[in-house]
PDB file of all heavy atoms in Angstrom:
ATOM      1  N   GLY Y  67       4.330  -7.952   8.911  1.00 96.00           N
ATOM      2  CA  GLY Y  67       4.592  -6.552   9.038  1.00 96.00           C
ATOM      3  C   GLY Y  67       4.086  -5.992  10.367  1.00 96.00           C
ATOM      4  O   GLY Y  67       4.454  -6.546  11.394  1.00 96.00           O
ATOM      5  N   MET Y  78     -12.659 -12.232  11.845  1.00 96.00           N
ATOM      6  CA  MET Y  78     -13.628 -12.921  11.029  1.00 96.00           C
ATOM      7  C   MET Y  78     -13.563 -14.464  11.248  1.00 96.00           C
ATOM      8  O   MET Y  78     -14.258 -15.221  10.606  1.00 96.00           O
ATOM      9  CB  MET Y  78     -13.422 -12.626   9.529  1.00 96.00           C
ATOM     10  CG  MET Y  78     -13.561 -11.150   9.263  1.00 96.00           C
ATOM     11  SD  MET Y  78     -13.140 -10.682   7.607  1.00 96.00           S
ATOM     12  CE  MET Y  78     -13.023  -8.879   7.758  1.00 96.00           C
ATOM     13  N   LEU Y  85      -3.975 -16.147  16.484  1.00 98.00           N
ATOM     14  CA  LEU Y  85      -3.175 -15.771  15.333  1.00 98.00           C
ATOM     15  C   LEU Y  85      -1.742 -15.717  15.751  1.00 98.00           C
ATOM     16  O   LEU Y  85      -1.360 -15.089  16.746  1.00 98.00           O
ATOM     17  CB  LEU Y  85      -3.649 -14.373  14.845  1.00 98.00           C
ATOM     18  CG  LEU Y  85      -2.753 -13.754  13.817  1.00 98.00           C
ATOM     19  CD1 LEU Y  85      -2.883 -14.430  12.451  1.00 98.00           C
ATOM     20  CD2 LEU Y  85      -3.085 -12.253  13.641  1.00 98.00           C
ATOM     21  N   ASP Y  89       7.524 -12.172  11.023  1.00 98.00           N
ATOM     22  CA  ASP Y  89       8.175 -11.226  10.090  1.00 98.00           C
ATOM     23  C   ASP Y  89       9.665 -11.236  10.376  1.00 98.00           C
ATOM     24  O   ASP Y  89      10.064 -11.452  11.459  1.00 98.00           O
ATOM     25  CB  ASP Y  89       7.591  -9.846  10.251  1.00 98.00           C
ATOM     26  CG  ASP Y  89       7.902  -8.947   9.051  1.00 98.00           C
ATOM     27  OD1 ASP Y  89       9.003  -8.412   8.939  1.00 98.00           O
ATOM     28  OD2 ASP Y  89       6.972  -8.812   8.239  1.00 98.00           O
ATOM     29  N   PHE Y 113       3.300 -12.680  18.079  1.00 98.00           N
ATOM     30  CA  PHE Y 113       4.059 -12.236  16.935  1.00 98.00           C
ATOM     31  C   PHE Y 113       5.530 -12.561  17.191  1.00 98.00           C
ATOM     32  O   PHE Y 113       6.067 -12.317  18.303  1.00 98.00           O
ATOM     33  CB  PHE Y 113       3.875 -10.749  16.655  1.00 98.00           C
ATOM     34  CG  PHE Y 113       2.478 -10.424  16.219  1.00 98.00           C
ATOM     35  CD1 PHE Y 113       1.541  -9.944  17.185  1.00 98.00           C
ATOM     36  CD2 PHE Y 113       2.115 -10.531  14.901  1.00 98.00           C
ATOM     37  CE1 PHE Y 113       0.274  -9.639  16.710  1.00 98.00           C
ATOM     38  CE2 PHE Y 113       0.863 -10.292  14.454  1.00 98.00           C
ATOM     39  CZ  PHE Y 113      -0.105  -9.785  15.420  1.00 98.00           C
ATOM     40  N   PRO Y 183       2.030   9.981 -26.994  1.00 94.00           N
ATOM     41  CA  PRO Y 183       2.174   8.516 -27.198  1.00 94.00           C
ATOM     42  C   PRO Y 183       3.638   8.053 -27.149  1.00 94.00           C
ATOM     43  O   PRO Y 183       3.886   6.939 -26.636  1.00 94.00           O
ATOM     44  CB  PRO Y 183       1.545   8.299 -28.609  1.00 94.00           C
ATOM     45  CG  PRO Y 183       0.594   9.457 -28.740  1.00 94.00           C
ATOM     46  CD  PRO Y 183       1.251  10.591 -28.022  1.00 94.00           C
ATOM     47  N   THR Y 187       5.146   5.424 -24.472  1.00 94.00           N
ATOM     48  CA  THR Y 187       5.834   4.166 -24.909  1.00 94.00           C
ATOM     49  C   THR Y 187       7.115   4.038 -24.167  1.00 94.00           C
ATOM     50  O   THR Y 187       7.481   2.859 -23.726  1.00 94.00           O
ATOM     51  CB  THR Y 187       6.070   4.233 -26.442  1.00 94.00           C
ATOM     52  OG1 THR Y 187       4.835   4.368 -27.123  1.00 94.00           O
ATOM     53  CG2 THR Y 187       6.827   3.021 -26.988  1.00 94.00           C
ATOM     54  N   ASP Y 207       8.670 -10.374  -7.715  1.00 95.00           N
ATOM     55  CA  ASP Y 207       7.933 -10.242  -8.900  1.00 95.00           C
ATOM     56  C   ASP Y 207       6.712  -9.323  -8.687  1.00 95.00           C
ATOM     57  O   ASP Y 207       5.812  -9.680  -7.956  1.00 95.00           O
ATOM     58  CB  ASP Y 207       7.405 -11.628  -9.417  1.00 95.00           C
ATOM     59  CG  ASP Y 207       6.730 -11.608 -10.710  1.00 95.00           C
ATOM     60  OD1 ASP Y 207       6.289 -10.525 -11.200  1.00 95.00           O
ATOM     61  OD2 ASP Y 207       6.545 -12.675 -11.317  1.00 95.00           O
ATOM     62  N   VAL Y 213       0.961 -15.583 -12.041  1.00 96.00           N
ATOM     63  CA  VAL Y 213       1.553 -16.955 -12.126  1.00 96.00           C
ATOM     64  C   VAL Y 213       1.238 -17.755 -10.866  1.00 96.00           C
ATOM     65  O   VAL Y 213       1.545 -18.950 -10.789  1.00 96.00           O
ATOM     66  CB  VAL Y 213       3.032 -16.917 -12.405  1.00 96.00           C
ATOM     67  CG1 VAL Y 213       3.304 -16.269 -13.749  1.00 96.00           C
ATOM     68  CG2 VAL Y 213       3.778 -16.138 -11.342  1.00 96.00           C
TER      69      VAL Y 213
END
Side-chain angles (χ1 to χ4, degrees):
M78 301 174 192
L85 170 72
D89 198 280
F113 295 97
T187 299
D207 184 343
V213 296

